[in-house]
Amino acid sequence: SQQGEEDPQALSIQEGENATMNCSYKTSINNLQWYRQNSGRGLVHLILIRSNEREKHSGRLRVTLDTSKKSSSLLITASRAADTASYFCATDLLNNNDMRFGAGTRLTVKP
Amino acid sequence: DAGVIQSPRHEVTEMGQEVTLRCKPISGHNSLFWYRQTMMRGLELLIYFNNNVPIDDSGMPEDRFSAKMPNASFSTLKIQPSEPRDSAVYFCASSKSGTGNQPQHFGDGTRLSIL
C-alpha cells in the first residue's frame, strides 16, 4: 500500500520557473527519499532526508521535511526542459524498513 | 559501474504462459527489491531480499507469483500461470542495505503484456 501522497498530481511550468512538489505521509518515518522517473526508465534517486533533518540541498534541488505535519516538499529552481519527468517521494516506516512510494507528480517544463 | 540489469526489457505472451523476469543487482549491494508499476496502482513493492533471504513478501499478489534469489548476483520473479491483469512494468532495485537510509538503484524495468 502507498504511504506517501504527492501533490499536485501534475504540474506544468515554463522553463526558468521554479517547481514545487509536496508529499504527505500518514505514519512516523525514519527517512524520506525523493526519486525521479523519466518516461520508459527506472527511478533515479535524488535526495534522502532523515527524520531529524529539516532541509537538504543538492544543486538546483531543495528538500524540506516537517515531521510535525508529516509532509515534505521538493523544490526545483530555474527549471529546464530536461527536468520533465515524474517525481516520487518514498518513506520507510518507523517500525518497518521497506520503502513505500507515493503516486508521483508529473512535471512538464515547457521550453 | 554497471547499474541494475533487468531482462527482458519487453515481454509479450499469452495468458496461461509462464513468465520469468530476471535481475542482476549492483555488485556489493545486499538488498534487492521487486516492484510492479501500473497506472491504476502506482509503484507497488512485491518482495524484498536481504542477503539473498526473502524478508517481506506481503506484496506478492497471489500464489501465481514467486521470487527467488539463489545468489547475491541474480534474482528471478516468476508468474505462473500469467493473466492479463498481470500486465505492468516490473522493476528490480538494489541497495546497500534493506533499510530506508540507503538509496535504491533501479533497473529500467521489464514491460510485460499478457494477451
Side-chain angles (χ1 to χ4, degrees):
Chain A
S1 60
Q2 293 176 348
Q3 154 78 329
E5 292 184 7
E6 287 89 345
D7 168 56
Q9 290 186 341
L11 180 62
S12 182
I13 59 174
Q14 292 295 134
E15 207 165 28
E17 293 180 340
N18 295 342
T20 299
M21 289 159 274
N22 302 298
C23 169
S24 60
Y25 54 92
K26 298 185 176 70
T27 57
S28 296
I29 60 172
N30 292 310
N31 306 280
L32 185 144
Q33 301 185 31
W34 283 92
Y35 288 78
R36 162 196 171 122
Q37 184 181 31
N38 288 79
S39 180
R41 304 298 300 273
L43 280 72
V44 175
H45 179 260
L46 296 176
I47 286 186
L48 181 152
I49 187 165
R50 305 189 193 285
S51 59
N52 61 354
E53 297 176 312
R54 291 296 166 259
E55 189 170 311
K56 266 188 122 166
H57 298 255
S58 176
R60 294 183 296 114
L61 306 181
R62 173 179 167 245
V63 166
T64 62
L65 178 64
D66 187 335
T67 53
S68 66
K69 295 181 179 177
K70 292 187 171 58
S71 68
S72 174
S73 68
L74 170 66
L75 168 67
I76 303 175
T77 60
S79 64
R80 305 166 181 167
D83 294 329
T84 294
S86 292
Y87 292 82
F88 296 86
C89 69
T91 53
D92 67 329
L93 308 182
L94 207 53
N95 297 314
N96 185 347
N97 284 325
D98 59 20
M99 299 289 292
R100 303 288 170 172
F101 285 81
T105 292
R106 175 71 190 168
L107 173 66
T108 302
V109 181
K110 300 174 187 174
Chain B
D1 287 341
V4 174
I5 300 172
Q6 292 187 246
S7 64
R9 285 299 311 275
H10 304 273
E11 175 93 7
V12 180
T13 192
E14 293 188 346
M15 66 177 293
Q17 297 296 307
E18 178 179 293
V19 173
T20 299
L21 311 181
R22 296 172 176 80
C23 175
K24 178 178 169 55
I26 293 174
S27 177
H29 284 188
N30 59 16
S31 294
L32 183 140
F33 307 81
W34 282 102
Y35 292 91
R36 177 172 68 176
Q37 187 176 40
T38 62
M39 288 293 291
M40 290 294 293
R41 300 174 67 91
L43 194 66
E44 302 173 278
L45 175 66
L46 301 178
I47 185 171
Y48 85 90
F49 295 84
N50 201 39
N51 294 321
N52 312 338
V53 176
I55 302 300
D56 182 358
D57 65 354
S58 60
M60 296 286 263
E62 47 198 275
D63 292 345
R64 296 184 298 107
F65 285 69
S66 62
K68 293 182 180 179
M69 192 164 185
N71 56 62
S73 58
F74 184 66
S75 177
T76 60
L77 178 67
K78 189 172 292 188
I79 308 173
Q80 167 64 16
S82 58
E83 296 182 3
R85 60 192 168 119
D86 301 330
S87 297
V89 181
Y90 290 80
F91 288 101
C92 175
S94 70
S95 71
K96 291 182 180 178
S97 81
T99 61
N101 65 0
Q102 292 290 331
Q104 293 186 15
H105 299 261
F106 283 73
D108 279 335
T110 294
R111 183 172 294 276
L112 178 64
S113 296
I114 308 297
L115 306 177

